[in-house]
Amino acid sequence: MSTPRHPYLEDLQALLTASLLAALGIMLFRHAGLVPGGTVGIALLLHYATSIDLGWALLVANAPFYALACFRMGREFTVKTLAAVALMALFTMWLPQGLSFQNLSAPLAALLGGLLCGVSILVLFRHKASLGGLNVLVLYLQERFGWSPGKVQMGLDALVVLGGGLLVADASRIGASIIAVVTLNMVLAVNHRPGRYQPT
């Protein structure tokens, strides 16, 4: 039996909500100088290393994965993912103009940022989209081999955090980055399981 589709307005609401939540999580990561996993972590590494605007860094980090999305996940998934990443990049540029932090500890930024990004990815997964990059690879591996998205994402994220650790060379920030990765992937591992969710 085929899974019923979400109406277009529900998809639009999901893209806007998830992209804004992800951008807020990324803002927390950047403020605390963290390097979480995924393409967000890769984009932050680019941002820290080159001073390129974070919004552009997010687009660059995701670019290599769009071909996989198009050929393996279908046009609908690719278009929605492109839209979500573009919105996330725009919100990442816009949020600092209306929101700032006077005091934010790295562990709290890691926890809140991980929860926000995890929920945003979960929302997009349920609307046949993602935040691009490693999310595309993770979803492909789930559909092709049945691998757990949370566990695969955790392994890939560990590699990104390791690279971030070599760049920032700060034990406290590395520890907080690990908290962010674990929090994000726990959200996915617990809540994203094939067959459990049926849109109505």
Side-chain angles (χ1 to χ4, degrees):
M1 183 176 67
S2 61
T3 302
R5 293 174 54 90
H6 285 283
Y8 290 116
L9 285 178
E10 290 184 6
D11 282 339
L12 177 61
Q13 168 285 135
L15 291 176
L16 290 169
T17 300
S19 300
L20 182 57
L21 290 177
L24 180 55
I26 293 168
M27 185 177 175
L28 294 170
F29 292 149
R30 177 171 61 179
H31 184 81
L34 305 185
V35 185
T39 42
V40 169
I42 295 171
L44 283 165
L45 283 174
L46 284 172
H47 173 67
Y48 297 149
T50 67
S51 297
I52 185 176
D53 186 89
L54 183 54
W56 288 109
L58 286 165
L59 295 174
V60 170
N62 280 287
F65 296 92
Y66 291 135
L68 175 63
C70 185
F71 290 111
R72 294 295 186 179
M73 305 300 290
R75 188 174 74 171
E76 178 185 359
F77 178 91
T78 304
V79 170
K80 288 180 181 178
T81 296
L82 281 166
V85 173
L87 286 169
M88 179 178 63
L90 287 173
F91 287 143
T92 301
M93 298 176 192
W94 170 73
L95 276 176
Q97 300 179 29
L99 180 65
S100 62
F101 303 99
Q102 291 184 342
N103 182 35
L104 178 64
S105 70
L108 182 59
L111 180 62
L112 293 177
L115 288 172
L116 286 167
C117 289
V119 169
S120 68
I121 293 170
L122 182 65
V123 169
L124 291 172
F125 280 2
R126 290 178 172 178
H127 287 262
K128 295 186 177 179
S130 79
L131 287 180
L134 296 182
N135 292 160
V136 174
L137 180 60
V138 165
L139 279 180
Y140 169 69
L141 292 174
Q142 181 195 24
E143 291 194 2
R144 181 68 176 82
F145 302 107
W147 293 358
S148 166
K151 292 177 181 178
V152 174
Q153 186 84 43
M154 183 77 79
L156 295 173
D157 287 345
L159 296 176
V160 177
V161 172
L162 178 60
L166 296 175
L167 176 65
V168 301
D170 183 327
S172 63
R173 283 196 286 172
I174 295 170
S177 297
I178 293 172
I179 293 174
V181 169
V182 171
T183 302
L184 188 158
N185 285 288
M186 283 299 295
V187 172
L188 296 181
V190 171
N191 293 284
H192 187 66
R193 300 184 185 181
R196 172 170 289 186
Y197 173 77
Q198 295 294 328
T200 58

